[in-house]
Structure formats: C-alpha cells, structure tokens
C-alpha cells in the first residue's frame, strides 16, 4: 500500500509537469500557477512520515502571487499514528526572478492515537509562516523553490509542532 501511495504521488507529479508547454512566451500564458511539494521521512521506532502540500495561485502582477495552499500529513511509528490537514491563503513576492519573500497562514486539524496507552486526541492550531527563499528555473515557466519559513505564532510548550522553523522545497508552474 505504501509503495502504491508513493508511486501515485510521483506519477501525478510527473504528469502535471508534462503539461507545461516549453517555448510558450509568458504573455500567452494565463495568470494561474500550480505547484506544491511532497515529502517523506524516516526515524527511530519505525517512524514513517508522508506529506503532500498542493497549492494554486494567481499572479496579481508579474511579481506578486496570491492563492491557497493545503497540507496533508500522515505519520506512524511503533507507538503512535497521526494525521494532519491544513488549509489557508498564501502570498509570494518575487524579485530578480531568482528570489522570493512569502507569507502563509494555515489552520491545521490534527488527529493523534497513542498505540501504547490506547489514547486518542484531536486538536487544532493556526500557523503564520513568514520567510523567503531562492527560485531555480527548471523549465520555461517552471521553478524549483528552496526556502525557509518561520511560524511567528509558534509557542514552544503549547504547539503541536516541534519547532517554528520550517525548511521548504517545492515546485511551481506558471510563473
């Protein structure tokens, strides 16, 4: 099942990027942008984490983009299972076509199950991420985004997140 799930994400990603028309002048493109990222991680006690973060944006100007983004994360280990869903608006400002600054407000819904104590919990948390990063062109109007964000609403002892600092890697088509 895990192999099928990961293979599906890779196939969807490849198919979505294959729709990009190479050589199309920017003035002929519409103003909509699409992208996001997928991630996974492994850790001790058989921990496995899978995450998908799709996004849809609109170029208000050539340098300003606004839109909506979401996050879906599933995590499991020998001791717990967890699912998290988040959604909210974002805004990106691009300069020199190589760098960007970003703001992203997301509200998260979390379900947690402790396998050892047979305990279940649900929680919600809002995060306001501010940051920026670097754009690397990978096609005519496609870019790889490498950045770092900080959740300015993060409270060390009251957050579901381990840290307020979040590195980000993603793709965007349509800039």
């Amino acid at each position: 099942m895990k192999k099928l799930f990961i293979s599906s994400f890779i196939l969807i990603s490849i198919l979505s990027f294959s729709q990009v028309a190479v050589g199309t002048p920017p003035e002929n493109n519409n103003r909509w942008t699409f992208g996001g990222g997928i991630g996974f991680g492994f850790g001790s006690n058989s921990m496995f984490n899978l995450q998908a973060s799709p996004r849809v944006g609109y170029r208000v100007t050539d340098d300003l983009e606004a839109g909506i983004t979401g996050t879906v994360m599933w995590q499991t280990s020998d001791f717990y299972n967890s699912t998290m869903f988040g959604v909210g608006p974002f805004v990106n400002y691009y300069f020199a076509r190589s760098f960007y600054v970003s703001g992203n407000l997301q509200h998260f819904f979390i379900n947690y199950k402790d396998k050892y104590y047979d305990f279940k919990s649900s929680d919600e948390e809002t995060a306001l991420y501010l940051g920026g990063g670097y754009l690397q062109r990978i096609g005519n109007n496609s870019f790889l985004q490498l950045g770092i964000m900080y959740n300015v609403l993060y409270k060390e002892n009251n957050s579901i997140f381990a840290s307020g600092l979040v590195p980000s890697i993603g793709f965007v088509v349509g800039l």
Side-chain angles (χ1 to χ4, degrees):
M1 183 68 177
K2 289 180 190 177
K3 290 180 182 179
L4 177 65
F5 195 67
I6 292 171
S7 298
S8 297
F9 271 111
I10 292 171
L11 180 62
I12 290 169
S13 179
I14 290 169
L15 291 176
S16 67
F17 288 118
S18 69
Q19 302 302 313
V20 177
V22 176
T24 305
E27 58 270 13
N28 293 339
N29 292 337
N30 66 31
R31 300 189 76 76
W32 290 100
T33 63
F34 303 93
I38 57 173
F40 62 92
F42 301 94
S44 60
N45 299 315
S46 301
M47 192 282 291
F48 177 73
N49 173 356
L50 183 63
Q51 177 178 339
S53 299
R55 69 190 277 299
V56 175
Y58 185 80
R59 289 184 298 131
V60 179
T61 69
D62 285 342
D63 297 326
L64 182 65
E65 174 192 27
I68 190 162
T69 187
T71 300
V72 177
M73 185 174 13
W74 175 71
Q75 192 171 38
T76 187
S77 79
D78 291 339
F79 302 107
Y80 66 90
N81 286 332
S82 173
T83 56
M84 179 170 63
F85 302 97
V87 66
F90 75 89
V91 63
N92 290 334
Y93 182 78
Y94 301 97
F95 52 97
R97 273 313 219 203
S98 293
F99 301 95
Y100 68 96
V101 292
S102 182
N104 176 356
L105 178 70
Q106 283 200 52
H107 187 76
F108 293 97
F109 302 91
I110 305 98
N111 291 314
Y112 176 86
K113 180 183 178 192
D114 187 307
K115 295 178 182 177
Y116 188 74
Y117 293 106
D118 196 30
F119 170 76
K120 294 181 182 180
S121 174
S122 295
D123 204 357
E124 295 181 27
E125 187 169 336
T126 300
L128 176 58
Y129 297 104
L130 301 177
Y134 174 74
L135 289 170
Q136 175 63 51
R137 183 181 294 273
I138 57 174
N140 188 41
N141 63 347
S142 304
F143 293 86
L144 170 69
Q145 289 183 311
L146 304 169
I148 193 155
M149 307 282 279
Y150 184 76
N151 178 3
V152 297
L153 301 178
Y154 173 74
K155 295 178 184 163
E156 186 173 355
N157 296 325
N158 276 345
S159 180
I160 57 160
F161 301 108
S163 169
L165 199 60
V166 178
S168 63
I169 299 173
F171 297 94
V172 62
V173 176
L175 287 179

